[in-house]
C-alpha cells in the first residue's frame, strides 16, 4: 500500500463525504466532533491546494486516494 497524501482519518472523512454524508453524520459515525470533521476537511484541502470540498474530492479521485463505489 502506497503512502497517501491524506492521513487515515482525513481519508475516512472524504470517503464519507463521497457517500453524501453531512458533517454531523460523519462526526457521529466516526465518534468525533463536527469541528474536528471540518478541521480534517480543511487540512486535506490545504494539502491539495484546493478551495472547496468538491474540488478536493475531484483531486482525491484523480490521485486514487478515494474511490466511488
Amino acid at each position: 500500500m502506497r503512502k497517501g497524501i491524506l492521513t487515515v482519518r482525513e481519508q475516512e472523512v472524504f470517503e464519507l463525504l463521497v457517500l453524501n454524508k453531512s458533517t454531523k453524520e460523519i462526526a457521529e459515525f466516526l465518534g468525533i466532533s463536527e469541528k474536528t470533521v471540518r478541521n480534517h476537511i480543511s487540512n486535506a484541502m490545504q494539502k491539495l491546494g484546493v478551495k472547496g470540498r468538491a474540488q478536493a474530492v475531484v483531486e482525491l479521485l484523480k490521485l486514487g486516494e478515494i474511490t466511488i463505489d
Side-chain angles (χ1 to χ4, degrees):
M1 185 171 168
R2 73 180 178 84
K3 186 171 182 174
I5 294 169
L6 303 183
T7 65
V8 171
R9 188 59 105 184
E10 289 165 351
Q11 190 169 351
E12 289 172 338
V13 167
F14 272 93
E15 286 171 352
L16 292 166
L17 278 176
V18 167
L19 296 175
N20 205 30
K21 301 293 183 194
S22 69
T23 301
K24 182 177 181 177
E25 290 169 326
I26 293 168
E28 289 172 358
F29 183 81
L30 296 176
I32 58 180
S33 72
E34 289 182 58
K35 181 173 182 356
T36 301
V37 172
R38 288 190 298 273
N39 285 342
H40 287 311
I41 293 167
S42 177
N43 291 341
M45 290 187 329
Q46 189 172 25
K47 289 177 186 179
L48 294 164
V50 298
K51 294 191 189 302
R53 293 178 182 200
Q55 195 177 1
V57 168
V58 170
E59 288 302 314
L60 292 169
L61 288 167
K62 285 181 186 176
L63 294 168
E65 291 285 320
I66 59 172
T67 59
I68 297 176
D69 295 328

